[in-house]
Amino acid sequence: MPKTKPPASKKTTAQAVIRMTTAEATVAALTAHGINTIYALRGVHNDHLFDALFKADGIRTIHARHEQGAAYMALGAALATGKPQTYSVVPGPGLLNSAAALLTAYGMNAPVLALIGQIAQAAIGRGIGHLHEIRDQAGIIARLVDFSARIRTPAQAPGLVADAFRAMASGRPGPAVLECAIDMWGRSAPVPAIAPPSPAPQPPIDEDAVGDAARRLAAAKRPLIVVGGGAQDAAAEVTELSRLLQAPVLGYRRGRGVLDSRDPLSVTLPLGRELWGEADMALGIGSRLFYPLTQWGIDDELAIIRVDADPEEPERFRRPAVALIGDAKPILRRLIDALPDHKRPSRRAEMEERQAGMRKRLDKLAPQIGFLEAIRAELPEDGIFVDEVTQIGFAARLLLPVHRPRTFLSPGYQDNLGWGFATALGAQHARPDVPVLSISGDGGFLFTSNELATAMRHRIALTVVVFTDDAFGNVRRIQEEHYGNRVIASDLANPDFVRYAQSFGAEAERARSPQELRAALKRAFKRRDVPTLIEVPVGPMPSPWEFIHMPRVRGSR
Ligand SMILES: Cc1ncc(C[n+]2csc(CCOP(=O)(O)OP(=O)(O)O)c2C)c(N)n1
Ligand SMILES: [Mg+2]
């Protein structure tokens, strides 16, 4: 049967009802929601979807070499742009292969929409043994994300796509999944006009709570601001509030870059902990306050104000003095407006001195610092650094100066080894205008290094630096230091990473010092259509953990 050509989304909105397949209606709805790329690995379950993508205008398909690559790329694109992104894979193994990335997207509150295939509608749940069948796929998905649904008819597709986008932006943001059966993607029927997307409803700002918070903040003697991923789009407001209150801003992992590291009020974990110990008021913005609340302690002398998109978050660990629910940016604007007029003495001199003192202690991490300085010297201010679970990454979270929001991508509490390279690939694909730098250990890199082929196929000029110590160095050091040197399952046999990358057609070189790394980065960032791998052979590095897992500074529990 001849297939109806999917109309461009504009035409679709103009017409009342049109005959379309489920796949065409889904693609038109995605386009209407601003999706211009789908990261994917195809298979027979989704053939009609890919045929619709072939025919559609304004949407590109970027195929990866493993489903985790496709999903991490969508995650990286979402983190780098702050906008929803999409990936598509087959059911069963395809879904499970992408699941670590979906889990990470959930932990990072990232708007990633997964389109997952399904076996034939009538066979679902019967256990017959169809290709890629998995028991209770919908149930597995429902455990992984907050919003999921199955598209059962063409007419349902646009509404479910709209529901998914609304869910991804409501409350705590996060990923969503739509399933569709193999025999439903190609089914055609009249589909009502695709409505333009409506913004996700925001809870009204609680003006009484804003007033209460503003009065408390103005009265606080030693306020401290703690920012997480939820503050990334409120950098201007956080900066203004920090200045008005002369409040230090603690950002670790996902909060880095909200307040420019050049501001002496911008702190990371170790100095943040000292300040937590002294504070009489903490303002948490889009952060779980995980380290402060679970490790550093709390007592009655410290009041907490929470700003969070997730209404359940503020009371999860301990009821705060004030909770403000919603998007941080408008809430902080209201808070600034409501702040009683007051002037505070500058803390600049004090903070500069304390930063210098802490920096002396952190000098213990000298080998890592040398490489981070080379990176910072070459990566432009708006360049994006993608973190990994490796020695340089741990040190970067504490020490790499970050100047702008969304330029430090760190995997949050999942801290899953091997997320970095494919995530960075997605970030670089979505932001071709800035250099993206992925760092990896030799352990983490081989999780997704096959995606070098994707970088070549789609001409993605990502730069990756692989620090090779021939070990899962982090776990190896733990065995040496805490398990009587009983080293097991830690040493690695590696390829020659330079020749490995070159065999894909990538540019590659070896750098044996921070100086050589700097020169290699300068060359790499000039390339605009080919990926670069820089291998840096390293030895064991000093442990960062005394600056990350730190003892309590207040309270008894
Ligand atoms: C998905 C996942 N598996 C395992 C771990 C445990 N883990 C943490 S660090 C690490 C070793 C990392 O090795 P490498 O990438 O070479 O970095 P290095 O520590 O040597 O710098 C491992 C196995 C993890 N964090 N995530
Ligand atoms: Mg290693």
Side-chain angles (χ1 to χ4, degrees):
M1 254 192 37
K3 216 171 286 142
T4 335
K5 182 167 168 43
S9 55
K10 275 200 210 94
K11 277 189 227 150
T12 314
T13 13
Q15 296 181 12
V17 175
I18 188 167
R19 203 169 174 86
M20 299 170 100
T21 66
T22 306
E24 289 162 353
T26 302
V27 170
L30 290 175
T31 313
H33 282 84
I35 293 295
N36 59 20
T37 306
I38 184 159
Y39 300 93
L41 207 157
R42 61 176 302 173
V44 69
H45 291 78
N46 298 330
D47 276 353
H48 281 286
L49 174 64
F50 284 84
D51 200 39
L53 286 165
F54 181 88
K55 295 179 200 158
D57 296 324
I59 185 160
R60 286 165 303 178
T61 303
I62 301 295
H63 59 299
R65 299 299 291 268
H66 184 285
E67 282 92 356
Q68 68 169 342
Y72 279 128
M73 284 182 81
L75 173 60
L79 297 171
T81 60
K83 300 210 166 71
Q85 304 286 341
T86 311
Y87 80 89
S88 176
V89 295
V90 297
L95 165 66
L96 295 186
N97 281 341
S98 77
L102 204 51
L103 174 70
T104 311
Y106 185 79
M108 299 182 77
N109 317 309
V112 171
L113 173 61
L115 301 173
I116 314 280
Q118 245 297 10
I119 61 171
Q121 185 94 0
I124 295 172
R126 297 185 61 200
I128 293 168
H130 282 284
L131 177 67
H132 303 340
E133 182 170 358
I134 183 170
R135 192 166 55 179
D136 194 15
Q137 174 164 287
I140 292 167
I141 290 168
R143 291 288 172 112
L144 292 173
V145 298
D146 288 335
F147 177 90
S148 57
R150 186 176 308 138
I151 307 172
R152 289 162 198 273
T153 65
Q156 276 184 350
L160 287 177
V161 168
D163 289 349
F165 276 83
R166 214 170 300 115
M168 289 195 290
S170 309
R172 179 183 283 281
V177 176
L178 293 174
E179 282 182 293
C180 186
I182 184 169
D183 56 338
M184 280 303 144
W185 279 129
R187 186 76 56 92
S188 74
V191 174
I194 291 168
S198 52
Q202 288 293 327
I205 296 177
D206 180 340
E207 294 296 341
D208 291 344
V210 166
D212 188 9
R215 276 188 301 278
R216 287 170 183 265
L217 282 167
K221 293 201 177 58
R222 296 187 77 77
L224 171 67
I225 299 173
V226 184
V227 292
Q232 284 291 342
D233 294 325
E237 291 74 16
V238 170
T239 305
E240 195 174 335
L241 204 53
S242 162
R243 264 186 214 138
L244 287 167
L245 298 170
Q246 284 298 296
V249 176
L250 162 61
Y252 180 57
R253 300 195 301 207
R254 309 222 39 234
R256 305 271 350 254
V258 173
L259 182 63
D260 190 328
S261 302
R262 287 170 293 210
D263 189 322
L265 288 167
S266 175
V267 304
T268 67
L269 274 197
L271 193 46
R273 170 177 163 274
E274 278 185 14
L275 294 158
W276 179 266
E278 301 160 10
D280 59 347
M281 170 66 67
L283 170 62
I285 306 167
S287 165
R288 291 183 169 88
L289 300 181
F290 180 82
Y291 283 91
L293 293 180
T294 64
Q295 299 193 9
W296 305 344
I298 178 98
D299 55 41
D300 293 342
E301 308 306 308
L302 174 60
I304 298 182
I305 298 171
R306 304 280 299 259
V307 177
D308 211 283
D310 177 356
E312 287 175 20
E313 176 59 35
E315 301 201 8
R316 207 159 256 151
F317 193 88
R318 180 189 167 104
R319 178 185 287 252
V322 186
L324 293 161
I325 302 304
D327 189 9
K329 193 176 175 70
I331 290 177
L332 294 184
R333 179 50 53 203
R334 284 293 303 119
L335 201 52
I336 291 165
D337 292 346
L339 211 58
D341 247 358
H342 70 305
K343 196 136 184 62
R344 289 174 183 258
S346 165
R347 291 184 73 177
R348 174 170 278 274
E350 174 211 339
M351 288 303 297
E352 279 174 348
E353 198 183 320
R354 295 179 75 163
Q355 296 269 16
M358 184 52 74
R359 179 54 203 254
K360 268 215 182 74
R361 284 184 50 204
L362 285 160
D363 275 345
K364 199 185 150 192
L365 307 178
Q368 292 97 311
I369 290 172
F371 290 118
L372 290 175
E373 283 175 348
I375 287 169
R376 190 67 276 177
E378 290 305 322
L379 186 68
E381 253 183 56
D382 57 359
I384 298 172
F385 178 94
V386 182
D387 182 25
E388 248 292 354
V389 191
T390 182
Q391 305 313 307
I392 301 296
F394 299 142
R397 297 169 192 182
L398 301 169
L399 277 155
L400 181 75
V402 184
H403 303 310
R404 300 198 194 175
R406 294 198 181 280
T407 62
F408 187 88
L409 309 185
S410 189
Y413 70 85
Q414 283 304 331
D415 231 358
N416 47 331
L417 187 61
W419 91 302
F421 178 61
T423 301
L425 214 48
Q428 183 70 86
H429 180 261
R431 291 289 314 273
D433 53 317
V434 295
V436 176
L437 177 68
S438 166
I439 56 124
S440 276
D442 41 1
F445 181 59
L446 282 190
F447 277 50
T448 58
S449 60
N450 56 326
E451 303 300 349
L452 273 167
T454 305
M456 291 305 299
R457 178 70 183 77
H458 298 287
R459 314 307 296 178
I460 305 172
L462 175 68
T463 301
V464 56
V465 182
V466 184
F467 294 90
T468 53
D469 60 354
D470 298 321
F472 287 132
N474 194 57
V475 292
R476 193 181 206 289
R477 192 184 46 227
I478 292 171
Q479 291 163 352
E480 288 166 2
E481 292 180 359
H482 303 290
Y483 292 86
N485 206 21
R486 292 185 295 281
V487 173
I488 177 171
S490 289
D491 291 326
L492 303 175
N494 275 324
D496 176 329
F497 283 99
V498 172
R499 282 169 51 214
Y500 174 72
Q502 284 167 342
S503 74
F504 287 86
E507 293 287 338
E509 61 178 297
R510 199 162 278 116
R512 298 186 180 278
S513 65
Q515 295 70 27
E516 285 185 17
L517 174 60
R518 192 171 166 181
L521 287 172
K522 200 189 281 295
R523 285 187 282 277
F525 292 153
K526 288 201 184 105
R527 297 186 186 116
R528 296 318 308 151
D529 73 341
V530 63
T532 303
L533 179 146
I534 303 166
E535 182 189 344
V536 182
V538 292
M541 294 196 195
S543 170
W545 294 109
E546 69 189 84
F547 303 109
I548 297 169
H549 294 303
M550 294 174 288
R552 162 180 310 284
V553 274
R554 65 189 307 158
S556 55
R557 194 181 64 79

